[in-house]
Amino acid sequence: MTVRLRQWWGGLSLRERWLVGIALALSAAVVGWIAVYAPLTSALVAARETHAIALERHAVIAARVKEIRKLQAAGPRAAPINSSANAISVTLVLAQGAAEQGLTLSRNEPAGDAAATIAIASAQSSSLVTWLTRLESMGLTVTDLSLRPNADGTVAMTASIRRAQ
């Protein structure tokens, strides 16, 4: 087999040898691209996406752990808001809690005596989860929740919140 190839190669002119060599080099480059570079590139992109998801989950879990430790350090839980405490409206509690957490309510509408509908246009998911956890410890329950991702990495939220029965 090698003898035949040597005879064939020897029968080519210098110009033909250059053309065959260039064709082989280009073929090797295409095969290398298809067999090595493209799969490695797609694997790297997938790994970066997985890493970003893991970082976001880590941030949410770290915020929850921080909130739990803060609640444990504070001692007994705060007394929940009950129906007899009508002097404190749900909308007022939501507005004050959001401001303390650094969130801006774009909508805070009362829905009866013991409920409200709220919306937040842009918030970090970790601070939003921390705030919702704090609301639950105060005796408020989220009955309807909708989260949508924003292009800047934050989330938009709409929710219905009412006093726990």
Side-chain angles (χ1 to χ4, degrees):
M1 180 80 166
T2 58
V3 174
R4 281 186 174 172
L5 280 176
R6 284 185 190 167
Q7 287 175 352
W8 173 77
W9 185 259
L12 296 176
S13 68
L14 181 62
R15 178 174 171 241
E16 290 172 335
R17 287 182 185 172
W18 271 99
L19 290 174
V20 169
I22 290 172
L24 288 174
L26 289 174
S27 298
V30 168
V31 168
W33 174 272
I34 292 172
V36 177
Y37 185 77
L40 287 178
T41 304
S42 65
L44 184 61
V45 168
R48 285 183 179 154
E49 290 174 358
T50 304
H51 183 254
I53 291 169
L55 285 177
E56 185 175 334
R57 287 181 181 167
H58 174 72
V60 169
I61 291 170
R64 288 181 182 171
V65 168
K66 184 178 178 183
E67 184 64 28
I68 289 170
R69 288 186 179 153
K70 196 184 299 182
L71 289 173
Q72 288 174 342
R77 293 176 71 179
I81 300 172
N82 56 31
S83 300
S84 63
N86 287 332
I88 303 174
S89 74
V90 174
T91 56
L92 180 63
V93 172
L94 293 171
Q96 182 179 359
E100 289 173 358
Q101 190 67 31
L103 302 170
T104 303
L105 294 177
S106 57
R107 185 176 72 202
N108 187 3
E109 300 171 353
D113 291 338
T117 302
I118 62 168
I120 296 175
S122 177
Q124 293 295 324
S125 59
S126 59
S127 63
L128 195 57
V129 168
T130 302
W131 181 58
L132 291 173
T133 304
R134 185 174 294 145
L135 291 177
E136 287 180 355
S137 70
M138 293 171 47
L140 297 174
T141 304
V142 179
T143 57
D144 183 30
L145 177 68
S146 172
L147 292 173
R148 292 172 310 284
N150 292 331
D152 61 354
T154 60
V155 293
M157 178 198 79
T158 56
S160 296
I161 299 177
R162 65 177 53 251
R163 288 190 180 122
Q165 300 295 330

